[in-house]
Amino acid sequence: MNEHGKPLTLSERADALEEAMMHELSERIATRSTLFYLAEGKVEMAQGQALLAANPGKHFLMGADPRLPPMPEKPTLIDFFKARFATTAHLLQSATHALKAGQPEKVVLACLLHDIGVASFIRCDHGYWGAQMIEPYVDEEVSWAVRMHQALRFFPDPSVGYEYPELYIKFFGADYKPEPYIVAEYERARNHKWYMTSRLITLNDIYAFDPDAKVHLDDFVDIIGRNFKQPKEGLGFDSSPSAHMWRTLMWPTRFL
Ligand SMILES: [Fe+2]
Ligand SMILES: [Fe+2]
């Protein structure tokens, strides 16, 4: 019941759950950033003073969130695969497909990382987010290909047998048209020297993969080792232009 003696609405129930989760943290208050609220259709943010008043004697979380799997002091890409990527099956399947097709390691790595934006952060413009995350650590061709798959995914290329995905018709409706910025990006990519690298991501970006296929991250540890420049300080602590993205992923509920 709420304070008016009526059954809790869905959003009141969600608020109560959130509050319970906060109490579970016992020592510290974890905060949800504006983006988390926007995803629920609310233009809101957690108000610091109000949260403190509701949790007397506590301080805000300024580090690891105890509800999430712990990360080592010097995290590697593999640690993020294991502890922060919500799903890795699609990435491993795409990379396995590329590996079996005898593609060069650069392409295999691009397939392995092409959707880390979705798996870790956000769907919207995920190719751009993912490319930005990996840019300081991979060959420029790899991050370029990851960025451009965002646009290329929507455009067929019969010369290599790439069709507009059937699934996109189900996902977005038969009348969906990519926005002008995506069309413009596709046109730029089409004439680029690395076009085919990004196109190969889309060719290996399969949703109808054999469900019995065994895919393991272990199969890619060496390829990652040779092609992803793991910073010795740990991903997030190396002051690269995208280090903050890895830190945010590590500590998504830090107050600041
Ligand atoms: Fe994608
Ligand atoms: Fe994908």
Side-chain angles (χ1 to χ4, degrees), residues 1-4 6-17:
M1 296 283 166
N2 64 16
E3 74 242 48
H4 311 294
K6 298 214 178 90
L8 295 184
T9 64
L10 206 59
S11 95
E12 282 170 338
R13 252 186 290 156
D15 288 348
L17 186 71

Side-chain angles (χ1 to χ4, degrees), residues 105-107 109-110 113 127-128 130-149 192-198 201 226-229:
E105 289 197 352
K106 258 189 219 175
V107 172
L109 185 74
L113 301 179
Y128 297 92
Q132 197 179 352
M133 287 169 77
I134 62 174
E135 206 141 42
Y137 314 108
V138 297
D139 191 289
E140 199 185 341
E141 186 175 350
V142 174
S143 53
W144 187 91
V146 169
R147 179 172 286 113
M148 292 302 164
H149 100 275
H192 196 279
K193 62 179 170 181
W194 293 328
Y195 166 75
M196 199 42 75
T197 313
S198 192
I201 294 181
R226 284 191 291 270
N227 297 276
F228 188 92
K229 297 177 207 89

